[in-house]
Each structure stands twice: as structure tokens, then as C-alpha cells.
Amino acid sequence: MIRETISESDTADVGRALAPRLSAGDVILLYGDLGAGKTAFVRGLAEGLGVAGEEVSSPTFTIVQEYRGGRLTLFHADLYRLDDPREIDDLGLDELTADGVLAIEWAEKMPRPAAAAVVVRITHGDGDVRTVSLTMPQAQQ
């Protein structure tokens, strides 16, 4: 699926629409430049899972944030500040998915991306325009 968005809330809508299709154990890999709208997408995803969107912020400095209270727990990771693949392995991201959904910003830094993950690529267009490309694993299509 490819969708063009024209605002942050429009980008969040794409995440919100994905949420009902997710189950515990699902992983969302987010790709996009700085300021592309990855966190806005995750904010919408959280709202779609029943978590208040205003609770969601970029976990750039905490690396992983956890949001409970919705249909599924949402784990939100941001790998931007990590450069060593061993640091990423030490986070234990694989273990988080048993309890909920894991959304990973800057997924290109992962040494071994999850094979059966939802892949979200957000690219800048003119002004506030973004192109959001969403690829579901075969099992979920």
C-alpha cells in the first residue's frame, strides 16, 4: 500500500489504520529520514491500539518506550543514536514482541531485521507532503 499524506495527523492516520490488523508478536520496521514522520506514524499506531497519542514521543534518548493500556502493549524503539550492532542486540528487542507490538524507528541500523515484519517507508515530498509505503508480511496480507 502506498499513500500520500499532507500533514502529521494524516501520517498518523496511516498508523491508526494499521493497528486493527496487528497481533501480539508483530514488528513494524520504520525507515525514513530525520523528520519524515516516523514518530507521527507510531503516535497513530498507538491511538489505533487504544493508547493516548499524546503519551507517545520519540524515544531517541531512552531508546525504548513502553505504552500499556490499549488492546496490545506497544513497544517503541528508536535506534538513531546506536552505531554498534552489539548495542542493538543488547536491547533484547526480540523478547519484547511476545507481550505486544514492537515499532522500530531507524530499522536500517538493525544487524538482522525481523523477516516477517511490517515495513513502513516514509519519504519527504514538497512541503508537508509525505509518501508512506507499507508492506505487510505474506501471512498478514
Side-chain angles (χ1 to χ4, degrees):
M1 175 201 90
I2 297 176
R3 176 160 169 209
E4 193 169 273
T5 65
I6 58 170
S7 67
E8 186 174 313
S9 65
D10 205 14
T11 301
D13 287 345
V14 180
R16 197 174 298 109
L18 172 63
R21 300 175 69 182
L22 298 174
S23 304
D26 285 341
V27 176
I28 299 103
L29 303 176
L30 293 132
Y31 299 88
D33 293 336
L34 197 61
K38 297 179 296 294
T39 301
F41 179 92
V42 174
R43 189 171 296 116
L45 183 66
E47 290 171 354
L49 292 171
V51 175
E54 61 269 7
E55 290 184 31
V56 177
S57 62
S58 178
T60 301
F61 294 100
T62 57
I63 312 297
V64 178
Q65 292 189 40
E66 180 178 334
Y67 303 104
R68 294 190 175 272
R71 179 176 69 83
L72 295 166
T73 299
L74 174 61
F75 298 95
H76 181 197
D78 185 327
L79 307 181
Y80 181 74
R81 292 184 44 232
L82 303 179
D83 291 317
D84 185 339
R86 292 175 295 186
E87 290 178 303
I88 296 167
D89 284 339
D90 289 346
L91 292 175
L93 296 176
D94 327 357
E95 298 158 17
L96 296 177
T97 59
D99 294 332
V101 172
L102 172 62
I104 304 171
E105 294 190 34
W106 300 98
E108 60 271 18
K109 291 191 169 216
M110 294 183 68
R112 293 170 308 286
V118 176
V119 175
V120 178
R121 295 184 188 282
I122 305 174
T123 55
H124 288 275
D126 293 332
D128 289 335
V129 174
R130 303 289 190 267
T131 300
V132 181
S133 170
L134 194 139
T135 306
M136 301 290 289
Q138 282 292 51
Q140 290 180 308
Q141 291 184 6

